Amino acid sequence: MNTQAHTCTGLHEIAAQVRAGASTASSRVEACLARISDRGTALHAFNEVHADEARAAATRIDASIKRGENPGALAGVILAIKDNIATTQGHTTCSSRFLENYRSPFDASVIQRLQSQGAILIGKTNLDEFAMGSSTENSAFGATRNPWDQTRVPGGSSGGSAAAVSAGFCDAALGSDTGGSIRQPASLCGCVGFKPTYGRISRYGLVAFGSSLDQIGPFAKDVRGCAELFEAMAGRDTLDSTTVDLPVPDCCTQLDEPLRGLRIGVPREYRTDANAPSVARALDEAIAAYKSMGATIVDVELPLTDVGISTYYVIAPAEASSNLARFDGIRYGHRATLEAGEGLEDLYAKSRSQGFGPEVQRRIMLGTYVLSSGYYDAYYNRALQVRRRIREEFDHAFTKCDVLLGPTSPIPAFEIGGKKDPWAMYLCDVYTVNTNIAGIPGISLNTSYAQEGNSTLPIGMQLQGPAFSEALLLRAARMLERTMPPSYPA
Amino acid sequence: MSATHATAKILRTELKVGLEIHIELATRSKMFTRAPNPAHPDFYDCAPNSLVDPVVMALPGSLPVMNLIAVEMSMQVGMALGCEIASFSKWDRKNYFYPDLPKAYQISQYDLPLCINGSVEIPVSAGGSRSIGIIRAHLEEDTGKLSHELPGGVAYAGSLVDLNRAGTPLLEVVTAPDFDCADDVVTFGQELRNICRFLGVTGGIMQRGHMRFEPNVNVLLTLEDGSVVKTPIVEIKNLNSFKAVKGAIEFETKRQVEEWRATGRVMGKGMKITRGWDDLKGQTFVQREKEDAHDYRYFPDPDLVPVVVDDAWRARVRATLPELPMARRARYREQFRLSEVDARVLTDDADFCAFYESCVAATTAKGCFKAITDAGYATGKMLLNAGSKRANERNCMVQELGIDANQVADVLALREDGTVGPQAADLLFGFLCDTKDNAATVAEQQGLVQVRDESALEAWCDQAIAANPQPAADVRAGKVAAIGRLVGAVMKLSAGKAEAQSVNDMLRKRLS
């Protein structure tokens, strides 16, 4: 694989050049579209490319600059949007047959915020149906392929966004992360993926999967890009009651300044036999890199790491079973044709059976079961208790260290069709689900590569920090990024 | 026991009723979104599906945001019902599929309601009063409506969904099973409606479904061997008139005894039955047999944050409570010396009561009564007599007659200073219903000003005596009571303008 070293200058720099006339939004859109037409079909990162809309938006931005106006800090920055985030531009399908023809009459709050700063949307990216999966194979419209090796998955569920960024189809992208759906594909595709603290970024317009876990976050080619998009999107939104009313931290000004006396916690539970040798080595390299920068490495324990998946697969499906009940075929989306003698119950059952794929149906059944009378205490209530314990465990760990370091995924990108057993697939998220369960921020960045046969596969490291510690977390990530600069497929 | 159900002698039949009341709150926007609320007067009778937005439609990605006004209105009702306002309450999802429920779950409050443990004192038909326990009052959202008619009443073969009502704030009040007759349930329902109308939290228009009643009814039968059997509890859904409430409970009382006679079925777990009410037939009918047919899978709604109420907030809301009907009745009795019946009529309707209060204020401001007691009493009597009479004639409420508070006060002032007599005052009240003109001017125009001119009085008296020889003779013979007929005749001749005492005096002088 021919790769190209990436200079970590972020997105504001791109916008500065566009505003200064060194580049134009239109030429940037054309360059992206050319790259998409070159290799987009093979990768299937997009469900829909919005060439006309992107060109029109670019023309407006260039004209506004010509008039001497300032279209914003993201002027001419080209974004791809995960197709479970509502946009009035194009469709919002969640990669589901059920919403194949659905158009949202409103934009998600994050879309409004980004567009108001001059960002251009180039298209909607593929995902596991309703964000349920870790490989993007669960899309009703076909799997996305990894730009580093097209026989492999990009990770998921935000696989389309991760692939689009790594393949150079856009400057950055949005994803959503319920149990690792931003960080794991970022790791597998070799880009940077950031899940902020729960409540930092409005979920209004994000099609709900597990509402208490879901969080929108950015993908970018560098930590700075993620920091800039985070700042652009974060902050209280009156349309989402769960957003917190805290000032958005300045993450960018001091991003490049290394932290002194940084304490890096490495949980024992993150060094298991489940880690591929290449991943274990990458972790050692990252530890060594931090040591060389003067950080202290702290041994910490997170004994509940391995119950995270079980806890997650009670809470997330429970919420999903309720969140997805609105897809009943009555007001919008797929409506089954009824045979003579069939009634309302049949309409529900047939529309949903035809509209939802197998993984979505599995999780709806799981969630319905754990909430049903007689099982609620044994499953849902117990999962909530474990959730509190997991939070406390993180709180305790963060008394000993500033951030936690570990692999994002125990393995690099696997082959398409390589994980047939749902449980094996669920284990891909063993290091990422607890971040969502605790509601804390986590970031994945590429630090190393695995050589598997002829393939070079990126390996990502994950950093997690206490709630609302985004500024610190991003700075710690930037330190690691400087010692191990990223490169992308040429 | 079941062996004897067909034949056992019933010594005593005791009705037991608990009530659930759904109250649509008249906020401007819906419970969890900005879309207009059809229970607010500005949005009555809007075209189907015109009061919707992405949240109401449950479009993908939409999120609910709590309506603070609805919460405060509910706190007001809770306080008026003597409830504690919980420091911590939360929102739960009640999951079920139905086309009128767009999200396929209703946001409600399951185990931690906003208001708990209250009570209301009502006069009961057995005499005296009784305290009715309020178990809880919680806030939720209303559903949409299904119909099989197009606007204008044209029949339609399929089902039509109107989501205007979906998301309207709904306060559900649950009483203890403290009622033992249908009339008391109705009294309570009317009192609750009245309280809510005084608070201004609902239009309270029954025909619009602003208040819907669901009585839980069963009967306790004492048998001759001293044992007591309880019939299965029946929940009667969605009654939206007091007539239906009374009819349904009375029907159930009989039906349940008959059913026990026939089947011997008694109360037990999972035995609760849901029945509807057929207004035309005057009968209840089975809607759902077993209560545990539904598993609603309640769980806390992760899209909303809990409602945390501190003392400062409670105090702020409490300070907004108006004087409630019960307290007003007591005050009208004590301060204005009005009778219980008069006080009740004056407090039966929030708008009428407000009009009365404004009339008392205007009358007091005129200074024609020495004490506020007299002003309150005289104003009340005028509205209840002159006012009610005309309201009946015109089929409207007293406050809708057209006469304003200032005009009412002027009529009373003119009567008190003797400008018009009592009969003329009544007529003047009537004229003022149709004009904004000053009361004194109208009295002048209509010739209602009392005549004290001796010669005019003498002429009318002589005419009356001449026309009524028998009563005149009676008075002369010492039967003083007969003078009433003659006074009446003078009043008629003078069209009410003669002053009654002067007429009386003059007639006596002439017949002595």
mmCIF file with all atom_site columns, all heavy atoms in Angstrom, chain B residues 196-209:
data_model
loop_
_atom_site.group_PDB
_atom_site.id
_atom_site.type_symbol
_atom_site.label_atom_id
_atom_site.label_alt_id
_atom_site.label_comp_id
_atom_site.label_asym_id
_atom_site.label_entity_id
_atom_site.label_seq_id
_atom_site.pdbx_PDB_ins_code
_atom_site.Cartn_x
_atom_site.Cartn_y
_atom_site.Cartn_z
_atom_site.occupancy
_atom_site.B_iso_or_equiv
_atom_site.pdbx_formal_charge
_atom_site.auth_seq_id
_atom_site.auth_comp_id
_atom_site.auth_asym_id
_atom_site.auth_atom_id
_atom_site.pdbx_PDB_model_num
ATOM 1   N N   . CYS B 1 196 ? -59.747 23.210 39.167 1.00 0.00 ? 196 CYS B N   1
ATOM 2   C CA  . CYS B 1 196 ? -58.835 23.367 38.029 1.00 0.00 ? 196 CYS B CA  1
ATOM 3   C C   . CYS B 1 196 ? -59.170 24.619 37.222 1.00 0.00 ? 196 CYS B C   1
ATOM 4   O O   . CYS B 1 196 ? -58.281 25.280 36.698 1.00 0.00 ? 196 CYS B O   1
ATOM 5   C CB  . CYS B 1 196 ? -58.892 22.135 37.127 1.00 0.00 ? 196 CYS B CB  1
ATOM 6   S SG  . CYS B 1 196 ? -58.154 20.688 37.889 1.00 0.00 ? 196 CYS B SG  1
ATOM 7   N N   . ARG B 1 197 ? -60.468 24.927 37.144 1.00 0.00 ? 197 ARG B N   1
ATOM 8   C CA  . ARG B 1 197 ? -60.858 26.132 36.407 1.00 0.00 ? 197 ARG B CA  1
ATOM 9   C C   . ARG B 1 197 ? -60.439 27.393 37.179 1.00 0.00 ? 197 ARG B C   1
ATOM 10  O O   . ARG B 1 197 ? -60.001 28.363 36.582 1.00 0.00 ? 197 ARG B O   1
ATOM 11  C CB  . ARG B 1 197 ? -62.371 26.132 36.163 1.00 0.00 ? 197 ARG B CB  1
ATOM 12  C CG  . ARG B 1 197 ? -62.825 24.954 35.309 1.00 0.00 ? 197 ARG B CG  1
ATOM 13  C CD  . ARG B 1 197 ? -63.172 25.353 33.892 1.00 0.00 ? 197 ARG B CD  1
ATOM 14  N NE  . ARG B 1 197 ? -64.313 26.254 33.853 1.00 0.00 ? 197 ARG B NE  1
ATOM 15  C CZ  . ARG B 1 197 ? -64.255 27.502 33.388 1.00 0.00 ? 197 ARG B CZ  1
ATOM 16  N NH1 . ARG B 1 197 ? -63.128 27.985 32.935 1.00 0.00 ? 197 ARG B NH1 1
ATOM 17  N NH2 . ARG B 1 197 ? -65.324 28.245 33.381 1.00 0.00 ? 197 ARG B NH2 1
ATOM 18  N N   . PHE B 1 198 ? -60.567 27.370 38.508 1.00 0.00 ? 198 PHE B N   1
ATOM 19  C CA  . PHE B 1 198 ? -60.102 28.508 39.301 1.00 0.00 ? 198 PHE B CA  1
ATOM 20  C C   . PHE B 1 198 ? -58.604 28.689 39.154 1.00 0.00 ? 198 PHE B C   1
ATOM 21  O O   . PHE B 1 198 ? -58.097 29.813 39.139 1.00 0.00 ? 198 PHE B O   1
ATOM 22  C CB  . PHE B 1 198 ? -60.467 28.336 40.784 1.00 0.00 ? 198 PHE B CB  1
ATOM 23  C CG  . PHE B 1 198 ? -61.821 28.890 41.124 1.00 0.00 ? 198 PHE B CG  1
ATOM 24  C CD1 . PHE B 1 198 ? -62.959 28.152 40.901 1.00 0.00 ? 198 PHE B CD1 1
ATOM 25  C CD2 . PHE B 1 198 ? -61.946 30.174 41.641 1.00 0.00 ? 198 PHE B CD2 1
ATOM 26  C CE1 . PHE B 1 198 ? -64.217 28.673 41.189 1.00 0.00 ? 198 PHE B CE1 1
ATOM 27  C CE2 . PHE B 1 198 ? -63.193 30.709 41.931 1.00 0.00 ? 198 PHE B CE2 1
ATOM 28  C CZ  . PHE B 1 198 ? -64.340 29.946 41.710 1.00 0.00 ? 198 PHE B CZ  1
ATOM 29  N N   . LEU B 1 199 ? -57.868 27.545 39.054 1.00 0.00 ? 199 LEU B N   1
ATOM 30  C CA  . LEU B 1 199 ? -56.419 27.627 38.874 1.00 0.00 ? 199 LEU B CA  1
ATOM 31  C C   . LEU B 1 199 ? -56.061 28.072 37.461 1.00 0.00 ? 199 LEU B C   1
ATOM 32  O O   . LEU B 1 199 ? -54.939 28.486 37.204 1.00 0.00 ? 199 LEU B O   1
ATOM 33  C CB  . LEU B 1 199 ? -55.780 26.258 39.149 1.00 0.00 ? 199 LEU B CB  1
ATOM 34  C CG  . LEU B 1 199 ? -55.828 25.772 40.599 1.00 0.00 ? 199 LEU B CG  1
ATOM 35  C CD1 . LEU B 1 199 ? -55.373 24.321 40.677 1.00 0.00 ? 199 LEU B CD1 1
ATOM 36  C CD2 . LEU B 1 199 ? -54.948 26.648 41.484 1.00 0.00 ? 199 LEU B CD2 1
ATOM 37  N N   . GLY B 1 200 ? -57.027 27.944 36.554 1.00 0.00 ? 200 GLY B N   1
ATOM 38  C CA  . GLY B 1 200 ? -56.760 28.331 35.167 1.00 0.00 ? 200 GLY B CA  1
ATOM 39  C C   . GLY B 1 200 ? -55.878 27.341 34.439 1.00 0.00 ? 200 GLY B C   1
ATOM 40  O O   . GLY B 1 200 ? -55.222 27.687 33.463 1.00 0.00 ? 200 GLY B O   1
ATOM 41  N N   . VAL B 1 201 ? -55.860 26.085 34.880 1.00 0.00 ? 201 VAL B N   1
ATOM 42  C CA  . VAL B 1 201 ? -54.966 25.111 34.242 1.00 0.00 ? 201 VAL B CA  1
ATOM 43  C C   . VAL B 1 201 ? -55.640 24.326 33.128 1.00 0.00 ? 201 VAL B C   1
ATOM 44  O O   . VAL B 1 201 ? -54.975 23.640 32.367 1.00 0.00 ? 201 VAL B O   1
ATOM 45  C CB  . VAL B 1 201 ? -54.360 24.121 35.268 1.00 0.00 ? 201 VAL B CB  1
ATOM 46  C CG1 . VAL B 1 201 ? -53.603 24.868 36.348 1.00 0.00 ? 201 VAL B CG1 1
ATOM 47  C CG2 . VAL B 1 201 ? -55.431 23.227 35.881 1.00 0.00 ? 201 VAL B CG2 1
ATOM 48  N N   . THR B 1 202 ? -56.962 24.422 33.041 1.00 0.00 ? 202 THR B N   1
ATOM 49  C CA  . THR B 1 202 ? -57.650 23.724 31.949 1.00 0.00 ? 202 THR B CA  1
ATOM 50  C C   . THR B 1 202 ? -58.905 24.487 31.573 1.00 0.00 ? 202 THR B C   1
ATOM 51  O O   . THR B 1 202 ? -59.471 25.193 32.410 1.00 0.00 ? 202 THR B O   1
ATOM 52  C CB  . THR B 1 202 ? -58.021 22.283 32.350 1.00 0.00 ? 202 THR B CB  1
ATOM 53  O OG1 . THR B 1 202 ? -58.676 21.648 31.229 1.00 0.00 ? 202 THR B OG1 1
ATOM 54  C CG2 . THR B 1 202 ? -58.964 22.223 33.546 1.00 0.00 ? 202 THR B CG2 1
ATOM 55  N N   . GLY B 1 203 ? -59.311 24.335 30.317 1.00 0.00 ? 203 GLY B N   1
ATOM 56  C CA  . GLY B 1 203 ? -60.577 24.911 29.894 1.00 0.00 ? 203 GLY B CA  1
ATOM 57  C C   . GLY B 1 203 ? -61.712 24.187 30.615 1.00 0.00 ? 203 GLY B C   1
ATOM 58  O O   . GLY B 1 203 ? -62.766 24.762 30.848 1.00 0.00 ? 203 GLY B O   1
ATOM 59  N N   . GLY B 1 204 ? -61.481 22.923 30.931 1.00 0.00 ? 204 GLY B N   1
ATOM 60  C CA  . GLY B 1 204 ? -62.463 22.153 31.687 1.00 0.00 ? 204 GLY B CA  1
ATOM 61  C C   . GLY B 1 204 ? -63.740 21.893 30.912 1.00 0.00 ? 204 GLY B C   1
ATOM 62  O O   . GLY B 1 204 ? -64.775 21.603 31.505 1.00 0.00 ? 204 GLY B O   1
ATOM 63  N N   . ILE B 1 205 ? -63.676 22.009 29.593 1.00 0.00 ? 205 ILE B N   1
ATOM 64  C CA  . ILE B 1 205 ? -64.882 21.787 28.782 1.00 0.00 ? 205 ILE B CA  1
ATOM 65  C C   . ILE B 1 205 ? -65.024 20.284 28.546 1.00 0.00 ? 205 ILE B C   1
ATOM 66  O O   . ILE B 1 205 ? -64.227 19.677 27.842 1.00 0.00 ? 205 ILE B O   1
ATOM 67  C CB  . ILE B 1 205 ? -64.806 22.548 27.439 1.00 0.00 ? 205 ILE B CB  1
ATOM 68  C CG1 . ILE B 1 205 ? -64.574 24.042 27.707 1.00 0.00 ? 205 ILE B CG1 1
ATOM 69  C CG2 . ILE B 1 205 ? -66.070 22.309 26.614 1.00 0.00 ? 205 ILE B CG2 1
ATOM 70  C CD1 . ILE B 1 205 ? -64.273 24.850 26.462 1.00 0.00 ? 205 ILE B CD1 1
ATOM 71  N N   . MET B 1 206 ? -66.058 19.717 29.168 1.00 0.00 ? 206 MET B N   1
ATOM 72  C CA  . MET B 1 206 ? -66.208 18.264 29.158 1.00 0.00 ? 206 MET B CA  1
ATOM 73  C C   . MET B 1 206 ? -66.382 17.734 27.731 1.00 0.00 ? 206 MET B C   1
ATOM 74  O O   . MET B 1 206 ? -65.812 16.731 27.369 1.00 0.00 ? 206 MET B O   1
ATOM 75  C CB  . MET B 1 206 ? -67.412 17.863 30.013 1.00 0.00 ? 206 MET B CB  1
ATOM 76  C CG  . MET B 1 206 ? -67.380 18.416 31.417 1.00 0.00 ? 206 MET B CG  1
ATOM 77  S SD  . MET B 1 206 ? -66.148 17.593 32.437 1.00 0.00 ? 206 MET B SD  1
ATOM 78  C CE  . MET B 1 206 ? -66.974 16.041 32.703 1.00 0.00 ? 206 MET B CE  1
ATOM 79  N N   . GLN B 1 207 ? -67.189 18.435 26.921 1.00 0.00 ? 207 GLN B N   1
ATOM 80  C CA  . GLN B 1 207 ? -67.466 17.953 25.563 1.00 0.00 ? 207 GLN B CA  1
ATOM 81  C C   . GLN B 1 207 ? -66.191 17.888 24.728 1.00 0.00 ? 207 GLN B C   1
ATOM 82  O O   . GLN B 1 207 ? -66.091 17.127 23.787 1.00 0.00 ? 207 GLN B O   1
ATOM 83  C CB  . GLN B 1 207 ? -68.474 18.860 24.835 1.00 0.00 ? 207 GLN B CB  1
ATOM 84  C CG  . GLN B 1 207 ? -69.802 19.038 25.546 1.00 0.00 ? 207 GLN B CG  1
ATOM 85  C CD  . GLN B 1 207 ? -69.779 20.236 26.480 1.00 0.00 ? 207 GLN B CD  1
ATOM 86  O OE1 . GLN B 1 207 ? -69.023 20.258 27.458 1.00 0.00 ? 207 GLN B OE1 1
ATOM 87  N NE2 . GLN B 1 207 ? -70.600 21.236 26.198 1.00 0.00 ? 207 GLN B NE2 1
ATOM 88  N N   . ARG B 1 208 ? -65.218 18.703 25.069 1.00 0.00 ? 208 ARG B N   1
ATOM 89  C CA  . ARG B 1 208 ? -63.955 18.678 24.335 1.00 0.00 ? 208 ARG B CA  1
ATOM 90  C C   . ARG B 1 208 ? -62.997 17.626 24.889 1.00 0.00 ? 208 ARG B C   1
ATOM 91  O O   . ARG B 1 208 ? -61.869 17.518 24.441 1.00 0.00 ? 208 ARG B O   1
ATOM 92  C CB  . ARG B 1 208 ? -63.274 20.044 24.400 1.00 0.00 ? 208 ARG B CB  1
ATOM 93  C CG  . ARG B 1 208 ? -63.996 21.109 23.615 1.00 0.00 ? 208 ARG B CG  1
ATOM 94  C CD  . ARG B 1 208 ? -63.161 22.376 23.548 1.00 0.00 ? 208 ARG B CD  1
ATOM 95  N NE  . ARG B 1 208 ? -63.859 23.378 22.772 1.00 0.00 ? 208 ARG B NE  1
ATOM 96  C CZ  . ARG B 1 208 ? -63.834 23.428 21.433 1.00 0.00 ? 208 ARG B CZ  1
ATOM 97  N NH1 . ARG B 1 208 ? -63.122 22.546 20.759 1.00 0.00 ? 208 ARG B NH1 1
ATOM 98  N NH2 . ARG B 1 208 ? -64.511 24.352 20.795 1.00 0.00 ? 208 ARG B NH2 1
ATOM 99  N N   . GLY B 1 209 ? -63.422 16.936 25.908 1.00 0.00 ? 209 GLY B N   1
ATOM 100 C CA  . GLY B 1 209 ? -62.548 15.915 26.493 1.00 0.00 ? 209 GLY B CA  1
ATOM 101 C C   . GLY B 1 209 ? -61.458 16.497 27.372 1.00 0.00 ? 209 GLY B C   1
ATOM 102 O O   . GLY B 1 209 ? -60.457 15.836 27.636 1.00 0.00 ? 209 GLY B O   1
#
